[in-house]
Amino acid sequence: MNEKRPFITKEQAEEIVKQYPTPFHLYDEAGIRKNARELYQAFSWNKGFKEYFAVKATPNPRILQILKEEGCGTDCSSYTELLMSDACGFSGKEIMFSSNDTPVEDFQLADKLNATINLDDITHIESLEQAIGHIPERICCRFNPGGVFQLGGSKEGFQVMDNPGDAKYGMTREQMSEAYKILMQKGAKEFGIHSFLASNTISNEYYPALAKILFQLAVELHQETGAHVKFINLSGGIGIPYRPEQSKNDIAIIGEGVRKAYEEILIPAGMGDVEIYTELGRFMLGPYGCLVTTAIHEKHTYKEYIGVDACAANLMRPAIYGAYHHITVLGKEDAPCDHKYDVTGSLCENCDKFAVDRMLPEIDMGDILVIHDAGAHGFSMGYNYNGKLRSAEVLLKEDGSTELIRRAETPADYFATLDFTGLFNK
C-alpha cells in the first residue's frame, strides 16, 4: 500500500497561495534530488551510467538545472526541446535526440549541438545524411521487436505490458542489422541501442526483462556486423503508483536486476564496457509535483459536484485518459472520506473532471485541494481551450522557501500571436 500524503501542509499552502493564487503546479526540490540520487546509486555498478531526463515530461529550465546538478542529461524529441537544453547548459553527450517523422531543421540543430542522435527508422539514415551532410561517428538506432510484450509471474501466468507491434516507433530486427552495416560504411564508429516497450509499468521486472532483450540484441548485432556497441538506452517506462493501493517500484531492485542480466549476457560476450542509459520522465518527476487548486463552487443535482479553479487545461490526463490522480483536501488528511463527489473544472466539456464518484472528506468552499502526481505530463500537456490560461509553476525549495519558476499566463499572452490587422474599424 502506497500511502498518499502531500509534500506540503495546509499551513504551507495557505502561505504560498498568498503570493501565488491557485491554480498552480508545485514541485518538491528535495524529493526530486533524493529520487535522482537513488537512481544513480541503483546503477552505480555501471561506470558509464547516465539518466537522460525526458524534457517533454516537465520542460522547465529550473527543473532541468536541478537534474543537471544531479548528473542527468536530457532526452529531447523536438527542435524547441533542443533549444531549451542548449540554453540550460547541456551539450554534446549530455543530450540524446530521439525523434520520429523528423524535420530537417531538427536533425541539423541536434548535429550542431553534438547531441547523440537516435534514429527511429532505417530511412532516417538517408534523411540525416541529406540534412547534415554526413553521418556522425556516434549514432543510435531504435529497436521495436513487434508483437505483444509480456512478463511472466502474475496470477494469470503472464502480464501483458504493452503492444509494440502497434507502436509507430523503431526498427525491426532485420532493419537494425542492416542499419548498422550501412552506418558503418558511412563512417559511424560508436553505436547505441534504444527501445521503449511499455509505459508506466508498476513492476520491478520490466527493466530487467527489457535489458535481457536489448543485451542479447547487442551481442547479436556485434557478432553480425562487428559494430562497437557503446551504450544501451533502456528508455523510460518505469511507472509510478497513481493509486494508493499500488506499490511503488523499488529502483534498487530494478538496478540489481539489470546488473544480473548485464553479467549474464554482455560480460561473457566480451562487452563489459557497454554503458547503460535511462530516459525517465514520469519516474523522475511525477510524484514530486502536484496541482494545487481551490474549491470555488458546489452543485447538488443528480450527483454532488465540487468545482475547483483548475481545469483539464491545467491537467488533462483524467479528461483524455480517464487517468486516476489522487486528491487530498489539505487539513482534512485524516478526516473520514464519507462524501462522494465529482471534482470538476469549468471547461465546456463534460469530461473536465479530476475525479468521478470519488470518496473524499466533506469539502467546504475555500478548501485547498492537492491533486497528486502531476509533476510529469501535467503542465507540459496544458492548452488554451475555452481561452483558459496556463497556470504558474512554483518550486518548493529544500529550505522551505518558494520560487516562481514560470509565471501564470495573462490574456495578453493568449492574444500575443494573433493578428487583428484590418479586422476592426479604427
Side-chain angles (χ1 to χ4, degrees):
M1 177 69 72
N2 173 43
E3 185 180 12
K4 288 286 187 182
R5 287 277 178 170
F7 54 80
I8 55 167
T9 64
K10 178 184 178 182
E11 291 72 26
Q12 284 179 297
E14 288 174 340
E15 287 301 310
I16 297 172
V17 168
K18 290 177 182 178
Q19 191 170 5
Y20 312 114
T22 57
F24 56 82
H25 286 264
L26 183 68
Y27 303 97
D28 176 21
E29 180 182 4
I32 295 168
R33 291 188 183 277
K34 180 175 182 291
N35 189 53
R37 291 168 188 174
E38 289 176 353
L39 171 67
Y40 269 86
Q41 180 60 38
F43 285 89
S44 59
W45 53 267
N46 185 263
K47 293 182 179 180
F49 173 78
K50 195 169 188 68
E51 155 63 13
Y52 290 86
F53 175 68
V55 176
K56 59 181 173 287
T58 318
N60 187 289
R62 188 67 176 88
I63 297 297
L64 297 184
Q65 179 191 39
I66 291 170
L67 293 172
K68 191 175 195 299
E69 291 170 358
E70 297 299 334
C72 301
T74 58
D75 159 53
C76 301
S77 59
S78 71
Y79 188 92
T80 309
E81 290 179 356
L82 286 167
L83 287 177
M84 182 177 288
S85 294
D86 181 42
C88 292
F90 295 90
S91 63
K93 292 181 181 180
E94 292 180 318
I95 304 173
M96 284 283 299
F97 179 64
S98 298
S99 178
N100 65 94
D101 296 335
T102 308
V104 169
E105 56 269 23
D106 290 31
F107 275 142
Q108 291 172 339
L109 180 56
D111 180 63
K112 180 181 178 181
L113 299 178
N114 293 315
T116 300
I117 296 174
N118 180 29
L119 299 178
D120 180 69
D121 184 51
I122 193 169
T123 64
H124 279 175
I125 298 175
E126 182 179 357
S127 299
L128 177 62
E129 190 171 29
Q130 290 178 350
I132 66 175
H134 67 281
I135 292 297
E137 290 189 358
R138 177 183 170 92
I139 197 77
C140 185
C141 293
R142 187 169 188 170
F143 174 55
N144 184 331
V148 175
F149 180 62
Q150 297 177 322
L151 286 179
S154 70
K155 293 180 181 179
E156 294 77 18
F158 289 96
Q159 178 185 7
V160 175
M161 304 296 285
D162 220 324
N163 191 346
D166 284 341
K168 67 174 183 175
Y169 309 108
M171 306 182 199
T172 66
R173 172 64 181 83
E174 294 75 17
Q175 288 173 337
M176 288 289 291
S177 183
E178 183 180 356
Y180 268 39
K181 292 174 183 177
I182 295 172
L183 289 165
M184 289 179 69
Q185 292 172 358
K186 294 180 178 293
K189 296 180 180 179
E190 287 187 356
F191 289 82
I193 299 173
H194 176 286
S195 191
F196 179 84
L197 300 188
S199 178
N200 195 35
T201 61
I202 307 297
S203 170
N204 293 330
E205 299 175 36
Y206 168 61
Y207 248 24
L210 172 62
K212 289 180 181 179
I213 293 172
L214 299 188
F215 294 169
Q216 186 60 46
L217 174 62
V219 172
E220 293 172 3
L221 289 174
H222 174 67
Q223 293 173 345
E224 293 169 10
T225 68
H228 176 208
V229 180
K230 177 67 174 177
F231 64 89
I232 294 174
N233 190 331
L234 300 176
S235 189
I238 298 179
I240 61 174
Y242 285 100
R243 295 178 178 271
E245 64 270 20
Q246 292 176 315
S247 298
K248 180 181 178 181
N249 283 327
D250 189 324
I251 197 63
I253 293 175
I254 291 171
E256 177 63 13
V258 175
R259 183 192 66 79
K260 289 180 179 178
Y262 191 99
E263 294 182 351
E264 290 172 4
I265 300 171
L266 290 178
I267 289 180
M271 299 174 67
D273 63 338
V274 173
E275 297 174 350
I276 302 300
Y277 301 157
T278 56
E279 201 175 87
L280 301 166
R282 192 190 319 261
F283 178 81
M284 297 300 292
L285 257 293
Y288 311 106
C290 61
L291 177 59
V292 183
T293 184
T294 301
I296 61 172
H297 182 248
E298 55 185 326
K299 183 174 183 177
H300 316 284
T301 53
Y302 304 107
K303 303 182 76 172
E304 294 295 302
Y305 295 96
I306 293 294
V308 296
D309 57 6
C311 66
N314 305 113
L315 178 64
M316 69 187 300
R317 295 186 73 255
I320 64 170
Y321 301 135
Y324 180 96
H325 279 261
H326 199 64
I327 296 176
T328 294
V329 184
L330 290 180
K332 300 180 180 179
E333 290 86 346
D334 298 316
C337 295
D338 52 6
H339 285 64
K340 183 186 291 187
Y341 296 116
D342 281 14
V343 179
T344 71
S346 59
L347 290 186
C348 297
E349 296 290 340
N350 195 48
C351 65
D352 183 20
K353 298 180 178 181
F354 294 111
V356 176
D357 293 334
R358 185 75 60 85
M359 298 304 298
L360 293 165
E362 182 176 9
I363 297 176
D364 298 306
M365 295 305 92
D367 278 350
I368 300 174
L369 280 62
V370 164
I371 303 177
H372 292 249
D373 301 315
H377 311 292
F379 179 93
S380 64
M381 295 177 73
Y383 53 99
N384 289 126
Y385 181 60
N386 273 181
K388 295 296 184 181
L389 304 174
R390 292 179 179 89
S391 57
E393 291 182 292
V394 180
L395 180 68
L396 178 63
K397 300 171 71 172
E398 288 184 292
D399 63 5
S401 64
T402 57
E403 177 184 346
L404 183 66
I405 59 176
R406 190 193 301 265
R407 66 165 175 82
E409 287 183 341
T410 68
D413 296 313
Y414 182 79
F415 289 109
T417 56
L418 298 173
D419 185 356
F420 291 99
T421 304
L423 292 179
F424 304 103
N425 294 326
K426 294 183 179 179

